[in-house]
Amino acid sequence: MSSVWESLTVDARDPARLARWWAEALGYQVVTEEPDGAVEIRRSADRLPGLTFVPVGDDKETKNRLHIDLRPDDQEAEVERLVDMGARHVDIGQGDVEWTVLADPEGNEFCVLRQRGD
């Protein structure tokens, strides 16, 4: 028996807003919006895995134990684009590293890696 990775679920104060932010950041599309407020995005409707944003009543308080790594063609340009979209630089104790740690509009950390071969 095996499993298929369906989705990564993200708690959000405003799931619709955060889902649309990540959809723009990743070039994904909204594929479902549930009456309970959950919103799923995917690269395309038939392509797994997705990111599902579910409503919660509290703010994020500590560093994520699971995060997304992005590997763009141009790290500097991508960091600038994401910051222009509302991400912010964060220090989680990473020190002097080759990647950039950012947080999305609700404070979820993610990394923007250097392009392969650098």
Side-chain angles (χ1 to χ4, degrees):
M1 179 180 279
S2 64
S3 295
V4 173
W5 178 15
E6 176 78 17
S7 181
L8 175 68
T9 301
V10 179
D11 292 347
R13 295 281 293 185
D14 187 344
R17 178 177 170 254
L18 195 58
R20 283 172 175 69
W21 188 90
W22 275 103
E24 182 179 346
L26 297 171
Y28 279 29
Q29 60 184 301
V30 172
V31 295
T32 59
E33 292 188 68
E34 301 295 334
D36 67 0
V39 180
E40 183 180 10
I41 65 171
R42 296 183 188 176
R43 184 174 305 273
S44 62
D46 60 346
R47 189 158 176 201
L48 297 175
L51 287 170
T52 302
F53 299 83
V54 298
V56 296
D58 54 341
D59 291 327
K60 180 183 162 307
E61 294 183 17
T62 62
K63 177 183 172 286
N64 294 0
R65 295 200 54 171
L66 177 72
H67 68 268
I68 296 172
D69 286 344
L70 305 178
R71 188 176 304 276
D73 292 332
D74 182 333
Q75 181 190 39
E76 186 176 322
E78 183 67 351
V79 167
E80 183 177 334
R81 181 182 79 91
L82 293 166
V83 169
D84 286 348
M85 288 174 51
R88 61 184 166 72
H89 289 268
V90 293
D91 182 353
I92 55 168
Q94 68 268 22
D96 186 23
V97 294
E98 293 183 354
W99 57 87
T100 300
V101 181
L102 299 176
D104 71 18
E106 288 202 12
N108 300 297
E109 298 93 1
F110 64 98
C111 296
V112 182
L113 309 175
R114 290 205 174 277
Q115 36 289 20
R116 290 206 184 270
D118 280 5

